[in-house]
Amino acid sequence: DTGVSQNPRHKITKRGQNVTFRCDPISEHNRLYWYRQTLGQGPEFLTYFQNEAQLEKSRLLSDRFSAERPKGSFSTLEIQRTEQGDSAMYLCASSASAGGDEQYFGPGTRLTVT
Amino acid sequence: RKEVEQDPGPFNVPEGATVAFNCTYSNSASQSFFWYRQDCRKEPKLLMSVYSSGNEDGRFTAQLNRASQYISLLIRDSKLSDSATYLCVVNWGGTYKYIFGTGTRLKVLA
């Protein structure tokens, strides 16, 4: 399967713990996006990477959130000191800079903070 | 005004009907527009890009109206399998940020 993959698919954690999610984009895609989606809402932009450079970050993203894409391939999203309000689906998408920037999404990681 | 607005619906239509959704955006500098389809508890899937000249893909037609700052999606001859939430996406002009609408729910009835 050459689509976007995300791991883990589900994560249950206790409030205050740190969690890390991984995204593997489509191999030839140099652009990578992270979004968060809660029930009844559209995906909310979190951050954007072009290759290994983080070029855009939502003002809504608190300093408990950090993302990396060290070699311009896979990316990780870490949430420190999780809160119940962090419970959501975390979606990763990738696109190619050549073309119209159509984004292809992974299946997401569903986070539940208890 | 919200950055991207959609009527949440639901739109309940009979099979074979034609249905249209609009999506308004507030940033006049936005350049890229898309429609995505999302099934319950699944990831969004790209339906089509929206070009300035409009574009058609089978039963689906997308149009852009820059003057009034909205995009539209028309679905002809609705099928049961078209039941889903339709999300519009707009690039926030001058940035790498993409803004999704809250989605419009469509239910096609037999």
Coordinates of all heavy atoms in Angstrom, one line a residue, chain A residues 31 33 35 37 40-43 45 48 50 55-56 58-59 89 91 100-108 110, chain B residues 2-3 32 34 36 38 41-46 49 51 87 89 91 94-103:
Chain A
R31 N 5.5 17.5 0.8 CA 4.7 18.4 1.7 C 4.0 17.5 2.6 O 3.4 16.5 2.2 CB 3.8 19.3 0.9 CG 4.5 20.2 0.0 CD 3.5 21.1 -0.8 NE 4.2 22.2 -1.5 CZ 3.6 23.1 -2.2 NH1 2.3 23.1 -2.3 NH2 4.4 24.0 -2.8
Y33 N 1.3 17.7 6.2 CA 0.4 18.5 7.0 C -0.1 17.7 8.2 O -0.4 16.5 8.0 CB -0.8 19.0 6.2 CG -0.5 19.8 5.0 CD1 -0.1 19.2 3.8 CD2 -0.7 21.2 5.0 CE1 0.1 19.9 2.7 CE2 -0.4 21.9 3.9 CZ 0.0 21.3 2.7 OH 0.2 22.1 1.6
Y35 N -3.4 17.8 11.0 CA -4.6 18.4 11.3 C -5.2 17.7 12.5 O -4.8 16.5 12.9 CB -5.7 18.2 10.2 CG -5.3 18.9 8.9 CD1 -4.5 18.3 7.9 CD2 -5.8 20.2 8.6 CE1 -4.2 19.0 6.7 CE2 -5.6 20.8 7.4 CZ -4.8 20.2 6.5 OH -4.5 20.9 5.3
Q37 N -9.1 16.8 14.2 CA -10.6 16.8 13.9 C -11.4 16.3 15.1 O -11.1 15.3 15.6 CB -10.9 16.0 12.7 CG -12.3 16.2 12.2 CD -12.6 15.5 10.9 OE1 -12.0 14.5 10.6 NE2 -13.6 16.0 10.2
G40 N -18.1 16.4 14.4 CA -19.0 17.5 13.9 C -18.2 18.7 13.3 O -18.9 19.6 12.8
Q41 N -16.9 18.6 13.3 CA -16.1 19.7 12.8 C -15.3 19.2 11.6 O -15.0 18.1 11.5 CB -15.2 20.3 13.9 CG -15.9 20.8 15.1 CD -16.8 22.0 14.8 OE1 -16.4 22.9 14.1 NE2 -18.0 21.9 15.2
G42 N -14.8 20.2 10.8 CA -13.9 19.8 9.8 C -12.5 19.8 10.4 O -12.2 20.2 11.5
P43 N -11.5 19.2 9.6 CA -10.1 19.1 10.1 C -9.6 20.5 10.4 O -9.9 21.5 9.6 CB -9.4 18.4 9.0 CG -10.4 17.6 8.3 CD -11.7 18.4 8.4
F45 N -6.3 22.9 10.8 CA -4.8 22.9 10.5 C -4.0 23.0 11.8 O -4.3 23.9 12.6 CB -4.6 24.1 9.6 CG -3.1 24.3 9.3 CD1 -2.5 23.6 8.3 CD2 -2.4 25.2 10.0 CE1 -1.1 23.8 8.0 CE2 -1.1 25.5 9.7 CZ -0.4 24.8 8.7
Y48 N 2.6 22.6 9.0 CA 3.0 22.2 7.7 C 4.5 22.1 7.5 O 5.2 22.9 8.0 CB 2.5 23.3 6.7 CG 3.1 23.2 5.3 CD1 2.8 22.2 4.4 CD2 4.0 24.2 4.9 CE1 3.4 22.2 3.2 CE2 4.6 24.2 3.7 CZ 4.3 23.2 2.8 OH 4.9 23.1 1.6
Q50 N 7.6 21.4 4.6 CA 8.1 21.2 3.2 C 9.4 20.6 3.4 O 10.4 21.3 3.9 CB 8.1 22.6 2.5 CG 8.5 22.4 1.0 CD 8.1 23.5 0.1 OE1 6.9 24.0 0.2 NE2 9.0 24.1 -0.6
L55 N 7.3 25.1 8.0 CA 7.1 26.5 7.4 C 5.8 27.2 8.0 O 5.7 28.4 7.7 CB 7.0 26.4 5.9 CG 8.3 25.9 5.2 CD1 8.1 26.0 3.7 CD2 9.5 26.6 5.7
E56 N 4.9 26.4 8.6 CA 3.7 27.0 9.0 C 3.2 26.3 10.3 O 3.3 25.1 10.3 CB 2.6 27.0 8.0 CG 1.4 27.9 8.2 CD 1.6 29.3 7.7 OE1 2.1 29.5 6.5 OE2 1.3 30.2 8.5
S58 N 0.0 26.6 13.3 CA -1.2 27.3 13.7 C -1.0 28.1 15.0 O -0.3 27.6 16.0 CB -2.3 26.3 14.0 OG -3.4 26.9 14.6
R59 N -1.5 29.3 15.1 CA -1.4 30.1 16.3 C -2.2 29.4 17.5 O -2.0 29.7 18.6 CB -2.0 31.5 16.1 CG -1.1 32.4 15.2 CD -1.7 33.7 15.0 NE -2.8 33.7 14.1 CZ -4.1 34.0 14.5 NH1 -4.3 34.3 15.7 NH2 -5.0 33.9 13.6
M89 N -9.3 13.2 16.7 CA -8.6 12.5 15.7 C -7.5 13.3 15.1 O -7.7 14.5 14.8 CB -9.6 12.1 14.6 CG -9.0 11.4 13.4 SD -8.5 9.7 13.8 CE -10.1 8.9 13.5
L91 N -5.0 13.8 12.1 CA -4.8 13.4 10.8 C -3.6 14.0 10.1 O -3.2 15.1 10.4 CB -6.0 13.9 9.9 CG -7.4 13.3 10.3 CD1 -8.5 14.2 9.8 CD2 -7.5 11.9 9.7
G100 N -1.2 20.6 -8.2 CA -2.1 21.5 -7.5 C -2.2 21.4 -6.0 O -3.1 21.9 -5.4
D101 N -1.3 20.7 -5.4 CA -1.2 20.6 -3.9 C -2.4 19.8 -3.4 O -3.0 20.1 -2.3 CB -1.1 21.9 -3.3 CG -0.6 21.8 -1.8 OD1 0.1 20.9 -1.5 OD2 -0.9 22.7 -1.0
E102 N -2.9 18.8 -4.2 CA -4.0 18.0 -3.6 C -3.4 17.2 -2.5 O -2.4 16.5 -2.6 CB -4.5 17.0 -4.7 CG -5.3 17.7 -5.8 CD -4.5 18.2 -7.0 OE1 -3.3 18.1 -6.9 OE2 -5.1 18.7 -7.9
Q103 N -4.1 17.2 -1.3 CA -3.6 16.5 -0.1 C -4.3 15.2 0.0 O -5.5 15.0 -0.2 CB -3.9 17.3 1.1 CG -3.1 18.6 1.1 CD -3.5 19.5 2.3 OE1 -3.6 19.0 3.4 NE2 -3.6 20.8 2.1
Y104 N -3.5 14.1 0.4 CA -4.0 12.8 0.6 C -3.8 12.5 2.0 O -2.7 12.6 2.6 CB -3.3 11.8 -0.3 CG -3.6 12.1 -1.8 CD1 -2.8 13.0 -2.5 CD2 -4.7 11.5 -2.4 CE1 -3.1 13.3 -3.8 CE2 -5.0 11.8 -3.7 CZ -4.2 12.7 -4.4 OH -4.6 13.1 -5.7
F105 N -4.9 12.0 2.7 CA -4.9 11.8 4.1 C -4.6 10.4 4.5 O -5.0 9.4 3.8 CB -6.3 12.2 4.7 CG -6.5 13.7 4.8 CD1 -6.9 14.5 3.7 CD2 -6.3 14.3 6.0 CE1 -7.0 15.8 3.9 CE2 -6.4 15.7 6.2 CZ -6.8 16.4 5.1
G106 N -4.0 10.3 5.7 CA -3.9 9.0 6.3 C -5.1 8.7 7.1 O -6.0 9.5 7.2
P107 N -5.2 7.4 7.7 CA -6.4 7.0 8.4 C -6.6 7.7 9.7 O -7.7 7.6 10.3 CB -6.2 5.5 8.6 CG -4.7 5.4 8.6 CD -4.2 6.4 7.6
G108 N -5.6 8.4 10.2 CA -5.7 9.1 11.5 C -5.3 8.3 12.7 O -5.3 7.1 12.7
R110 N -6.6 8.2 16.6 CA -7.7 8.6 17.5 C -7.1 8.6 18.9 O -6.7 7.6 19.4 CB -8.9 7.7 17.4 CG -10.0 8.2 18.3 CD -11.4 7.5 18.0 NE -11.9 7.8 16.7 CZ -12.5 8.9 16.3 NH1 -12.7 9.9 17.2 NH2 -12.9 9.0 15.1
Chain B
K2 N -16.8 33.9 9.5 CA -16.0 32.8 9.6 C -15.1 32.7 8.3 O -15.5 33.1 7.2 CB -16.9 31.5 9.6 CG -17.3 31.1 11.0 CD -18.1 29.9 10.9 CE -18.0 29.1 12.2 NZ -18.7 27.8 12.1
E3 N -13.9 32.0 8.5 CA -13.0 31.9 7.4 C -13.6 31.1 6.2 O -13.4 31.5 5.1 CB -11.7 31.3 7.9 CG -11.0 32.1 9.0 CD -9.9 31.3 9.7 OE1 -10.1 30.1 10.0 OE2 -8.8 31.8 9.9
S32 N -6.3 28.4 -3.8 CA -6.5 26.9 -4.1 C -7.7 26.5 -3.3 O -7.9 26.9 -2.2 CB -5.3 26.1 -3.6 OG -4.1 26.5 -4.2
F34 N -10.7 23.1 -2.9 CA -10.9 21.7 -3.1 C -12.2 21.3 -2.5 O -12.7 21.9 -1.5 CB -9.8 20.8 -2.5 CG -8.4 21.2 -3.0 CD1 -7.7 22.1 -2.3 CD2 -7.9 20.6 -4.1 CE1 -6.4 22.5 -2.7 CE2 -6.6 20.9 -4.5 CZ -5.8 21.8 -3.8
Y36 N -13.7 17.7 -0.6 CA -13.4 16.4 -0.1 C -14.7 15.8 0.4 O -15.6 16.4 0.7 CB -12.4 16.5 1.1 CG -11.0 16.7 0.8 CD1 -10.5 17.9 0.3 CD2 -10.1 15.6 0.9 CE1 -9.2 18.1 0.0 CE2 -8.7 15.8 0.6 CZ -8.3 17.0 0.1 OH -7.0 17.2 -0.2
Q38 N -16.1 12.9 3.1 CA -15.7 12.1 4.3 C -16.8 11.2 4.8 O -17.9 11.7 5.0 CB -15.3 13.1 5.5 CG -14.7 12.4 6.7 CD -14.1 13.3 7.7 OE1 -14.5 14.4 7.9 NE2 -13.1 12.8 8.4
R41 N -16.4 8.4 10.4 CA -15.3 7.8 11.1 C -14.1 7.4 10.2 O -13.3 6.5 10.5 CB -15.7 6.6 12.0 CG -16.7 7.1 13.1 CD -17.0 5.9 14.0 NE -16.0 5.8 15.0 CZ -15.9 6.5 16.1 NH1 -16.8 7.5 16.4 NH2 -15.0 6.3 17.0
K42 N -14.1 8.0 9.0 CA -13.0 7.7 8.0 C -12.3 9.0 7.8 O -12.8 10.1 8.1 CB -13.6 7.2 6.7 CG -14.3 5.9 6.8 CD -13.3 4.8 6.9 CE -14.0 3.4 6.7 NZ -13.0 2.3 6.8
E43 N -11.1 8.9 7.1 CA -10.4 10.1 6.7 C -11.0 10.8 5.5 O -11.7 10.2 4.7 CB -8.9 9.8 6.4 CG -8.7 9.1 5.1 CD -8.8 7.6 5.2 OE1 -9.4 7.1 6.2 OE2 -8.2 6.9 4.3
P44 N -10.8 12.1 5.4 CA -11.3 12.8 4.2 C -10.6 12.3 2.9 O -9.4 11.9 2.9 CB -10.9 14.3 4.4 CG -10.7 14.4 5.9 CD -10.2 13.1 6.3
K45 N -11.4 12.2 1.8 CA -10.9 11.7 0.6 C -11.1 12.8 -0.5 O -12.2 13.4 -0.6 CB -11.5 10.4 0.1 CG -11.1 9.2 1.0 CD -11.5 7.9 0.3 CE -11.2 6.7 1.2 NZ -9.8 6.6 1.6
L46 N -10.1 13.1 -1.3 CA -10.2 14.1 -2.3 C -11.2 13.8 -3.3 O -11.2 12.7 -3.9 CB -8.8 14.3 -2.9 CG -8.8 15.4 -4.1 CD1 -9.0 16.8 -3.5 CD2 -7.4 15.3 -4.8
S49 N -10.5 19.0 -7.3 CA -10.0 20.4 -7.2 C -11.0 21.3 -7.8 O -11.8 20.9 -8.6 CB -8.7 20.5 -7.9 OG -7.7 19.6 -7.4
Y51 N -11.2 24.6 -10.1 CA -10.4 25.5 -11.0 C -11.2 26.8 -11.3 O -12.5 26.8 -11.3 CB -10.0 24.8 -12.3 CG -9.2 23.5 -12.0 CD1 -9.7 22.3 -12.6 CD2 -8.1 23.5 -11.2 CE1 -9.0 21.2 -12.4 CE2 -7.4 22.4 -11.0 CZ -7.9 21.2 -11.6 OH -7.2 20.0 -11.3
L87 N -16.8 18.3 2.4 CA -16.0 19.3 3.1 C -15.3 20.2 2.0 O -14.7 19.7 1.0 CB -14.8 18.7 3.9 CG -15.2 17.8 5.1 CD1 -14.0 16.9 5.4 CD2 -15.5 18.7 6.3
V89 N -12.4 23.0 1.2 CA -11.1 23.4 1.7 C -10.6 24.6 0.9 O -10.6 24.6 -0.3 CB -10.1 22.3 1.5 CG1 -8.8 22.6 2.4 CG2 -10.7 20.9 1.9
N91 N -7.3 27.4 0.6 CA -5.9 27.8 1.0 C -6.0 29.2 1.6 O -6.7 30.1 1.0 CB -5.0 27.7 -0.1 CG -3.7 28.5 0.1 OD1 -3.5 29.6 -0.5 ND2 -2.9 28.0 0.9
G94 N -1.6 33.5 0.8 CA -0.3 34.0 1.2 C 0.3 33.1 2.3 O 1.4 33.4 2.8
T95 N -0.3 32.0 2.6 CA 0.2 31.1 3.6 C 0.2 29.7 3.1 O -0.4 29.4 2.0 CB -0.5 31.1 5.0 OG1 -1.8 30.4 4.8 CG2 -0.8 32.6 5.4
Y96 N 0.7 28.7 3.9 CA 0.7 27.3 3.5 C -0.5 26.6 4.3 O -0.6 25.4 4.3 CB 2.0 26.6 3.9 CG 3.2 27.1 3.2 CD1 4.1 28.0 3.8 CD2 3.4 26.7 1.9 CE1 5.2 28.4 3.1 CE2 4.5 27.2 1.2 CZ 5.4 28.0 1.8 OH 6.5 28.5 1.1
K97 N -1.3 27.5 4.9 CA -2.4 26.9 5.7 C -3.7 26.7 4.9 O -4.0 27.4 4.1 CB -2.7 28.0 6.8 CG -3.7 27.7 7.9 CD -3.8 28.8 8.8 CE -4.9 28.7 9.8 NZ -5.0 29.9 10.7
Y98 N -4.3 25.5 5.2 CA -5.5 25.2 4.6 C -6.7 25.2 5.6 O -6.5 24.6 6.7 CB -5.5 23.9 3.8 CG -4.7 23.9 2.5 CD1 -3.3 23.9 2.5 CD2 -5.4 24.1 1.3 CE1 -2.7 24.0 1.2 CE2 -4.8 24.2 0.1 CZ -3.4 24.2 0.1 OH -2.8 24.3 -1.1
I99 N -7.8 25.8 5.3 CA -8.9 25.9 6.2 C -10.1 25.0 5.6 O -10.5 25.2 4.5 CB -9.4 27.3 6.3 CG1 -8.3 28.3 6.6 CG2 -10.5 27.4 7.3 CD1 -7.7 28.1 8.0
F100 N -10.5 24.1 6.5 CA -11.7 23.3 6.1 C -12.9 23.9 6.6 O -13.0 24.5 7.7 CB -11.5 21.9 6.7 CG -10.6 21.0 6.0 CD1 -9.2 21.1 6.0 CD2 -11.1 19.9 5.2 CE1 -8.4 20.2 5.3 CE2 -10.3 19.0 4.5 CZ -8.9 19.2 4.6
G101 N -14.0 23.7 5.8 CA -15.3 24.0 6.4 C -15.8 22.9 7.3 O -15.1 21.9 7.5
T102 N -16.9 23.1 8.0 CA -17.4 22.1 8.9 C -18.0 21.0 8.2 O -18.3 19.9 8.9 CB -18.4 22.7 9.9 OG1 -19.4 23.4 9.2 CG2 -17.7 23.8 10.8
G103 N -18.3 21.1 6.9 CA -18.8 20.0 6.2 C -20.4 20.1 6.0 O -21.0 20.7 6.9

